[in-house]
């Protein structure tokens, strides 16, 4: 018999206990930085050095942190389920924990790409991109992330994946950013949906959602134990 499919939508909160700041909590990244200065195509046009430095710092931090109990619990879930992770995060902590199927909606910090040809994507060796680091067509390398105002090319395959879910888990996202937040609407009618977050999240568009008011580490480990027992 084929395994049931669990689709997991994760956001910054799943990596918070690893020491990576979320975006919209108090003390979050968007309190310290102006989105329009570092995370838009216009910011890149205006000041490539500032944008490059912002992502260099994010990438440097990524080398200093480790996956946490939430990332590992999702790996354990693969013992009995076909687990498909759709993450809004640009970190690689799901992969480092050992999850097999990880789709990045908003790009990946450890990759860069040409600023004239989006198909020229490169894996970086270290954390730093310098001014003058160029693609084979001679353009400055830009972060391989989706900025505000840019299309999100992974939405169609992510929506398709959600439509095949037997169970949907949502972990550590404020569900403020579309189109990512709209993905939950693609899960089949009657599909059980669980949401793990220590704070209140607006779930008015998710009928019947079961809310687990815990941090990701504890909440995910508990839910995974329950799902493994009940499968
Ligand atoms: N465990 C679980 N959830 C947590 C934890 C934790 N330890 N700490 C905080 N959270 C929750 C917050 O309560 C909040 O609901 O994580 C959520 C983080 O929300 P955001 O900061 O808005 O992050 P996210 O939803 O991932 O943002 C989406 O916005 O700026 C963009 O591109 C960026 O991918 C990002 C997108």
């Amino acid at each position: 018999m084929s395994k049931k499919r669990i689709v997991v939508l994760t956001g910054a909160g799943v990596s918070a206990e690893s020491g990576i700041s979320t975006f919209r909590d108090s003390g979050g990244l968007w309190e310290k930085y102006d989105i329009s200065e570092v995370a838009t195509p216009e910011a890149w046009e205006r000041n490539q050095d500032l944008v490059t430095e912002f992502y260099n710092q994010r990438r440097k931090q990524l080398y200093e942190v480790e996956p946490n109990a939430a990332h590992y619990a999702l790996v354990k879930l693969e013992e009995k389920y076909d687990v498909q992770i759709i993450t809004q995060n640009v970190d690689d902590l799901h992969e480092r924990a050992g999850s097999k199927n990880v789709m990045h909606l908003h790009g990946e910090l450890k990759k860069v790409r040409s600023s004239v040809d989006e198909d020229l994507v490169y894996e970086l060796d270290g954390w730093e991109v310098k001014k003058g680091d160029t693609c084979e067509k001679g353009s400055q390398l830009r972060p391989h992330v989706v900025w505000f105002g840019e299309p999100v090319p992974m939405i169609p395959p992510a929506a398709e994946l959600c439509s095949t879910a037997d169970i949907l888990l949502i972990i550590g996202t404020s569900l403020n950013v579309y189109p990512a937040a709209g993905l939950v609407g693609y899960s089949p009618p009657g599909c059980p949906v669980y949401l793990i977050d220590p704070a209140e999240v607006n779930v008015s568009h998710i009928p019947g959602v079961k809310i687990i008011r815990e941090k990701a580490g504890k909440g995910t480990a508990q839910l995974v134990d329950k799902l493994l027992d009940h499968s």
Side-chain angles (χ1 to χ4, degrees):
M1 208 178 76
S2 66
K3 288 176 173 176
K4 279 191 175 176
R5 173 167 285 178
I6 300 191
V7 175
V8 190
L9 176 65
T10 66
V14 79
S15 297
E17 287 157 89
S18 295
I20 297 181
S21 295
T22 61
F23 295 98
R24 296 175 183 77
D25 289 305
S26 108
L29 276 178
W30 297 148
E31 213 172 78
K32 295 191 193 119
Y33 298 89
D34 185 341
I35 289 177
S36 66
E37 297 293 326
V38 294
T40 62
E42 294 75 23
W44 180 249
E45 292 300 319
R46 255 193 323 266
N47 194 340
Q48 294 191 356
D49 290 352
L50 180 71
V51 174
T52 298
E53 179 56 20
F54 174 74
Y55 286 97
N56 278 347
Q57 289 310 317
R58 309 273 76 71
R59 204 177 293 113
K60 187 176 182 195
Q61 184 192 33
L62 187 50
Y63 282 94
E64 293 158 3
V65 302
E66 300 290 340
N68 66 53
H71 299 104
Y72 288 117
L74 293 174
V75 179
K76 196 170 163 211
L77 199 53
E78 291 182 12
E79 287 171 10
K80 289 199 185 165
Y81 292 92
D82 166 18
V83 179
Q84 302 283 337
I85 296 176
I86 302 172
T87 186
Q88 296 168 85
N89 299 342
V90 293
D91 67 51
D92 62 348
L93 296 180
H94 286 301
E95 289 93 336
R96 272 156 63 188
S99 282
K100 285 202 203 86
N101 309 304
V102 184
M103 180 186 284
H104 285 270
L105 276 183
H106 294 159
E108 293 171 72
L109 260 185
K110 287 189 174 172
K111 292 181 179 170
V112 287
R113 69 171 187 258
S114 161
S115 39
V116 295
D117 180 347
E118 63 185 17
D119 293 329
L120 294 177
V121 178
Y122 308 89
E123 295 264 355
L124 271 177
D125 268 344
W127 59 270
E128 195 175 19
V129 178
K130 297 201 180 83
K131 190 176 187 151
D133 288 348
T134 54
C135 75
E136 63 219 57
K137 292 186 175 172
S139 80
Q140 175 68 33
L141 293 173
R142 59 157 278 177
H144 183 52
V145 300
V146 175
W147 285 324
F148 287 89
E150 292 190 316
V152 188
M154 294 309 284
I155 284 292
E160 171 65 29
L161 208 48
C162 287
S163 75
T164 63
D166 294 304
I167 299 173
L168 181 67
L169 312 188
I170 305 167
I171 308 173
T173 171
S174 62
L175 294 176
N176 263 309
V177 173
Y178 282 79
L183 284 173
V184 294
Y186 288 88
S187 62
C191 167
V193 182
Y194 297 88
L195 180 143
I196 300 171
D197 201 297
E200 198 172 329
V201 175
N202 180 0
V203 291
S204 53
H205 62 307
I206 318 175
V209 58
K210 299 175 187 67
I211 296 174
I212 300 167
R213 268 289 185 96
E214 295 283 0
K215 289 185 176 179
K218 184 174 172 192
T220 310
Q222 282 177 352
L223 180 59
V224 164
D225 279 348
K226 181 176 145 185
L227 290 169
L228 289 175
D229 270 349
H230 290 187
S231 60

